[in-house]
């Protein structure tokens, strides 16, 4: 028996298929199988130093002193960074740090609060 995917909007497990569409009876969202594959491919998975999954808007703590390139400033251990944004690339976290400004961080140097 084929298992149907959960709703990508409300994550309900009570979806059903109607022709080429998947339909969620709880939130009335409709999507196709091609859209389901695209959603699965577009998900950005970023984990912190402890293996916890990070999401946009999370608060993280720096676990290592980080020198700011081109400056004499240092991001100290234990500094909290609020409202992070995940991006693709080597430095996968965009954020603003108080007293320093906009920065890009690597997820391997932070842990989720």
């Amino acid at each position: 028996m084929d298992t149907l995917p959960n709703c990508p909007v409300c994550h309900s497990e009570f979806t059903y298929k109607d022709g080429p569409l998947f339909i969620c009876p709880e939130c009335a969202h409709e999507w196709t199988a091609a859209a389901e594959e695209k959603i699965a491919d577009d998900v950005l998975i970023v984990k912190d130093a402890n293996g916890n999954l990070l999401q946009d808007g999370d608060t993280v703590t720096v676990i290592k002193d980080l020198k700011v390139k081109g400056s004499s400033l240092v991001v100290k251990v234990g500094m909290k960074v609020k409202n992070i944004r995940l991006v693709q690339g080597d430095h996968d976290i965009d954020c603003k740090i108080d007293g320093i400004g906009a920065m890009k961080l690597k997820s391997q140097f932070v842990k989720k609060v």
Side-chain angles (χ1 to χ4, degrees), residues 1 52 88 110:
M1 185 171 168
N52 298 320
Q88 290 184 343
V110 299

Side-chain angles (χ1 to χ4, degrees), residues 3-110:
T3 59
L4 296 174
N6 290 349
C7 175
V9 175
C10 70
H11 306 292
S12 170
E13 60 186 26
F14 302 112
T15 58
Y16 62 92
K17 191 168 183 173
D18 185 20
L21 294 175
F22 293 109
I23 301 171
C24 176
E26 293 185 6
C27 69
H29 179 67
E30 298 179 354
W31 71 101
T32 63
E36 178 69 25
E37 292 173 6
K38 183 179 178 192
I39 290 169
D41 292 341
D42 289 345
V43 174
L44 181 62
I45 298 174
V46 178
K47 295 185 178 183
D48 69 357
N50 295 332
N52 298 320
L53 192 62
L54 296 174
Q55 297 178 1
D56 287 342
D58 280 347
T59 299
V60 295
T61 302
V62 178
I63 62 169
K64 178 182 175 183
D65 282 346
L66 302 172
K67 295 179 183 178
V68 178
K69 192 172 186 176
S71 173
S72 61
L73 299 173
V74 176
V75 179
K76 295 287 189 177
V77 172
M79 182 173 278
K80 284 189 178 181
V81 181
K82 297 177 183 177
N83 200 17
I84 65 171
R85 189 179 67 173
L86 302 179
V87 294
Q88 290 184 343
D90 185 34
H91 292 75
D92 43 13
I93 298 174
D94 275 347
C95 60
K96 287 185 183 177
I97 299 177
D98 294 335
I100 297 175
M103 295 265 320
K104 291 190 175 206
L105 298 173
K106 290 186 177 184
S107 59
Q108 64 191 12
F109 298 122
V110 299

